[in-house]
Amino acid sequence: SSTSSSVNFFCSFDSMLTLLYQMHSSKILIDESIFLVFLETYVTSHHLHAKINPIFLLMERDFVVKPNTHFNNVALSLLLNANKLRLVKTLYLKMATDVTSLDVSTFNILIRALCKADQLQPAFLCLRKCPTTTGEDTCGNLMLEIWDTRLWRQRSMVVVE
């Protein structure tokens, strides 16, 4: 019974908040890596995708930790994998408002989200803004993603008589 209550304690969102505040009051450094664990553990395993925005607020307001591009990309990717496309858009708009730098990974995630939402024109526009990198054929891979989505859409429109 004590094992089951301790498992339940460590599985709740509120218990994680309690742990964060305890760490903070004990002068343990709370940085982005702690919040990455929080994101990956609680959002993924407990389907708490709607808690992503409160996690950002908590980071910035209570712990004065500003999420960087990598952190944002992890959050975007978690949302995309869960097919939470509206939350992807919300987080992207927050990144743009906060003037967070966008890297190739960010554009990759955004273009995949737009393709999932069957928004090919915005996906092409996003691709045009994508920074180029050396040693990677990222733009080519993203073009293939858009093209595959377009072909799939065309095939699904064909009526067999």
Side-chain angles (χ1 to χ4, degrees):
S1 151
S2 68
T3 306
S4 119
S5 65
S6 64
V7 169
N8 288 336
F9 174 77
F10 286 110
C11 290
S12 75
F13 187 83
D14 291 335
S15 66
M16 186 60 165
L17 291 177
T18 302
L19 181 60
L20 283 170
Y21 287 117
Q22 287 173 351
M23 291 170 65
H24 186 66
S25 67
S26 298
K27 306 292 186 220
I28 296 173
L29 177 66
I30 307 288
D31 63 7
E32 188 176 285
S33 64
I34 301 290
F35 286 98
L36 275 173
V37 171
F38 195 16
L39 261 184
E40 292 172 339
T41 302
Y42 287 87
V43 171
T44 305
S45 61
H46 299 290
H47 307 288
L48 298 173
H49 300 93
K51 294 280 188 184
I52 285 183
N53 281 335
I55 290 171
F56 277 90
L57 288 173
L58 180 76
M59 283 177 72
E60 295 175 35
R61 184 190 62 219
D62 294 4
F63 296 97
V64 194
V65 175
K66 180 136 176 72
N68 66 15
T69 303
H70 174 72
F71 186 90
N72 284 311
N73 287 345
V74 169
L76 283 171
S77 189
L78 288 170
L79 292 171
L80 175 61
N81 292 339
N83 207 29
K84 304 292 184 183
L85 303 179
R86 286 185 185 182
L87 292 174
V88 169
K89 180 180 178 181
T90 301
L91 181 53
Y92 166 71
L93 292 173
K94 180 189 179 328
M95 290 172 71
T97 303
D98 293 348
V99 193
T100 303
S101 63
L102 306 177
D103 63 9
V104 174
S105 295
T106 310
F107 282 94
N108 187 0
I109 295 163
L110 293 173
I111 289 170
R112 289 179 193 281
L114 290 166
C115 288
K116 267 189 166 184
D118 203 23
Q119 299 292 314
L120 299 184
Q121 189 64 29
F124 276 114
L125 293 174
C126 196
L127 181 64
R128 295 176 94 188
K129 294 179 184 178
C130 181
T132 58
T133 59
T134 56
E136 280 186 57
D137 187 18
T138 304
C139 288
N141 290 336
L142 295 175
M143 282 295 289
L144 286 173
E145 176 81 22
I146 295 169
W147 185 254
D148 287 346
T149 303
R150 187 171 179 212
L151 286 176
W152 178 84
R153 187 174 66 172
Q154 287 174 346
R155 277 190 228 129
S156 66
M157 287 187 213
V158 174
V159 177
V160 180
E161 293 183 34

